[in-house]
Amino acid sequence: MTAKIVSAQNSDVVSCKIQDISETGASIRVAESSVIPTRCFLILAHTRFIYEAEVVWVAYAQRGLRFIQAYDNNDRVPSWLEPWRRNGAVSAQD
């Protein structure tokens, strides 16, 4: 499963693969050189769900995320996240 990591602090976007996901968090794989902020948003390409998350562990290219809040397609999200939801994590930034 593919997803994007975006940050509220800047316009950086990181592609990732979801290794495992549950209601409370996810294990993701990114390029080893990728920098992910401690607080970020995980946007699932196939469902357009958005999770506000916190990085809780790092092991080389893998990251462990703890979900802080989940947004489904009916929930209001911060306005800067709306284009990401509409485009299903596919953006002109790719």
Side-chain angles (χ1 to χ4, degrees), residues 80-91:
W80 69 271
L81 277 173
E82 277 299 336
W84 289 101
R85 183 190 346 228
R86 281 193 306 272
N87 294 329
V90 177
S91 162

Side-chain angles (χ1 to χ4, degrees), residues 1-4 6 18 21 41-52 69-78 81-91:
M1 202 176 346
T2 61
K4 300 284 186 197
V6 296
I18 297 175
I21 191 166
F41 291 85
L42 176 71
I43 305 171
L44 305 184
H46 69 291
T47 63
R48 298 185 183 175
F49 275 38
I50 298 173
Y51 296 93
E52 184 175 358
Q69 185 168 355
Y71 300 94
D72 69 21
N73 292 323
N74 299 315
D75 292 329
R76 276 194 113 130
V77 296
L81 277 173
E82 277 299 336
W84 289 101
R85 183 190 346 228
R86 281 193 306 272
N87 294 329
V90 177
S91 162

Side-chain angles (χ1 to χ4, degrees), residues 2-20:
T2 61
K4 300 284 186 197
I5 299 286
V6 296
S7 169
Q9 290 80 27
N10 55 46
S11 59
D12 290 346
V13 178
V14 176
S15 296
C16 67
K17 297 245 187 232
I18 297 175
Q19 303 293 113
D20 187 31

Side-chain angles (χ1 to χ4, degrees), residues 56-67:
V56 292
W57 58 264
V58 176
Y60 301 104
Q62 287 190 289
R63 308 288 190 275
L65 303 178
R66 179 182 63 84
F67 295 149

